[in-house]
Amino acid sequence: MKNRPHFRPNPYYEDLERMEEAVMSILHNLEMENTEIHENNHKLKKEITFSRNLLSQLLMENTCMKKLVPLKQESKEVHLDCALNQKYLVDFNKKEKDQQRPDPASSGLRKCKRAGIGHTQVRELPEE
């Protein structure tokens, strides 16, 4: 054993190895932080996009609601007009029917029931 030469480690080499380990540890930590920051950045971009889309949708809905208010008012007015017109038509039809109902005995006309159309003269019988 004495024939083998004894190599004494270089103290600078050991210092370099320790410094390399420290630098590699720092590099690993920085890479992990970079990955985490990149993921957070990606999530924030998604949230920003979602928020912008949501804001756009809310603005569009607000605009539609502003346009809808006058349309609803107009719709109510149209429904009122329609109801009034319908009432007038019903009243008008009742008046027309009342005016068209002459006394059958005095008019001398009656509807032909067999044909379902037209009118036939009714002969007045002499009174006895």
Side-chain angles (χ1 to χ4, degrees):
M1 282 214 181
K2 291 186 178 184
N3 292 345
R4 275 197 286 182
H6 177 65
F7 291 105
R8 200 173 94 182
N10 188 345
Y12 296 115
Y13 182 75
E14 290 175 0
D15 288 342
L16 282 174
E17 281 184 342
R18 274 184 257 138
M19 287 174 81
E20 180 189 15
E21 285 179 19
V23 167
M24 294 303 284
S25 175
I26 291 172
L27 178 65
H28 177 72
N29 290 341
L30 288 173
E31 286 176 347
M32 295 301 290
E33 283 181 36
N34 188 25
T35 304
E36 185 178 329
I37 289 172
H38 180 71
E39 289 172 359
N40 287 342
N41 190 22
H42 185 67
K43 287 179 185 177
L44 288 174
K45 282 182 180 178
K46 279 185 174 179
E47 286 183 27
I48 289 170
T49 303
F50 174 77
S51 298
R52 284 181 181 160
N53 288 340
L54 184 62
L55 178 64
S56 176
Q57 288 176 356
L58 288 173
L59 289 172
M60 181 69 78
E61 185 176 332
N62 191 14
T63 303
C64 289
M65 290 300 283
K66 286 180 182 178
K67 290 179 180 178
L68 188 63
V69 170
L71 291 176
K72 282 184 178 180
Q73 182 64 31
E74 186 178 329
S75 175
K76 287 179 184 178
E77 291 170 2
V78 167
H79 282 304
L80 262 171
D81 288 344
C82 185
L84 285 173
N85 287 339
Q86 192 171 13
K87 184 182 179 304
Y88 290 140
L89 281 174
V90 168
D91 292 344
F92 181 75
N93 284 338
K94 284 182 182 178
K95 287 180 185 177
E96 281 290 314
K97 284 182 182 177
D98 290 343
Q99 289 175 358
Q100 286 181 358
R101 285 188 195 164
D103 188 18
S106 64
S107 71
L109 295 175
R110 79 171 171 201
K111 245 183 176 175
C112 181
K113 292 184 180 179
R114 285 186 199 154
I117 55 171
H119 293 86
T120 59
Q121 274 288 22
V122 176
R123 285 186 263 156
E124 293 187 23
L125 297 174
E127 290 184 16
E128 293 183 29

